[in-house]
Amino acid sequence: MISYISGLLKYISQEYIIVDNGGIGYNIAVSPKTASSLQGIGEEVCIYTYMSVSDNGIALYGFASMEELELFNSIIGVSGIGPKGALGILGSLSPSQFVMAVLTDDIKTLSNAPGIGKKTAQRIVLELKDKLDSSQAIDEKSLGISLSVSDSGEKGEAVQALEVLGFSKSEAVKAVDAVYIDGMTAEKTISLALKVLGR
């Protein structure tokens, strides 16, 4: 198992990169997001990898962070989703957006990923929701949320989580205010607010 490859970036495209390590060029499949996060040709890079061995041959899939790789491993554990499908999901959604979509049953967002239909999205939620929740894969840090004192609490967390999913602050605040009841968890608030927002 190859956990990561570090070396000089020799080639970069939206679908794969080539990294020179000790005179050997490794062809690594990446998502457009991972590709765009890398520096220019000739720069030193460290890519976390997953090696796929199948009847079609051996392929390396690369990620800029361990967080992405861990989610990738979770996604390919879902029945019917292979490495290419998982890479497509992480190419269209950030790790935090993916986790939020799963935990809030946001089938529409998951279905926007290339090659992922409604049934597959539902299967992702069914098979991963409990795993992501129980492992506390979603938290303020992984969401990129920095709560101020005035925004703290379940309502504030729900508003900022909706912002992470792409809604404006005004849209998020309006939707949360429409559904929130004292004592409601952030997860439940987000789920109900998404229905108000049409997702």
Side-chain angles (χ1 to χ4, degrees):
M1 177 64 71
I2 301 175
S3 298
Y4 68 86
I5 295 174
S6 60
L8 295 179
L9 184 62
K10 288 292 188 177
Y11 178 81
I12 184 168
S13 73
Q14 294 298 295
E15 296 180 348
Y16 71 95
I17 60 174
I18 297 176
V19 177
D20 182 322
N21 176 282
I24 299 175
Y26 291 90
N27 185 308
I28 307 170
V30 296
S31 71
K33 283 188 176 182
T34 296
S36 64
S37 72
L38 299 175
Q39 302 297 319
I41 301 298
E43 295 292 329
E44 186 80 19
V45 296
C46 179
I47 303 296
Y48 298 95
T49 58
Y50 171 85
M51 185 169 65
S52 171
V53 181
S54 67
D55 293 339
N56 295 324
I58 300 174
L60 283 172
Y61 294 85
F63 307 90
S65 70
M66 277 298 297
E67 181 185 21
E68 284 184 292
L69 176 57
E70 288 169 358
L71 277 179
F72 175 86
N73 285 326
S74 294
I75 296 169
I76 61 176
V78 175
S79 56
I81 299 182
K84 288 184 178 179
L87 193 66
I89 292 173
L90 292 178
S92 60
L93 298 172
S94 70
S96 60
Q97 289 173 325
F98 173 77
V99 173
M100 279 300 304
V102 171
L103 294 183
T104 59
D105 298 323
D106 190 354
I107 303 301
K108 183 176 179 181
T109 292
L110 292 172
S111 299
N112 287 334
I116 303 299
K118 184 177 179 180
K119 288 185 178 180
T120 302
Q122 290 172 331
R123 191 160 60 247
I124 290 172
V125 170
L126 180 65
E127 295 188 26
L128 292 185
K129 187 171 183 178
D130 288 341
K131 293 179 182 178
L132 294 178
D133 190 40
S134 61
S135 65
Q136 298 180 335
I138 183 170
D139 56 25
E140 291 167 2
K141 183 177 179 181
S142 67
L143 280 172
I145 294 175
S146 177
L147 296 177
S148 65
V149 175
S150 61
D151 288 333
S152 62
E154 303 296 332
K155 285 183 71 175
E157 185 175 339
V159 167
Q160 294 201 32
L162 290 170
E163 288 184 84
V164 169
L165 291 175
F167 296 102
S168 69
K169 179 140 189 156
S170 60
E171 288 177 321
V173 169
K174 185 176 180 180
V176 168
D177 283 341
V179 302
Y180 183 77
I181 299 173
D182 285 343
M184 188 180 288
T185 65
E187 183 179 332
K188 180 66 174 178
T189 304
I190 295 164
S191 179
L192 293 175
L194 284 171
K195 293 178 181 179
V196 171
L197 291 163
R199 281 196 184 178

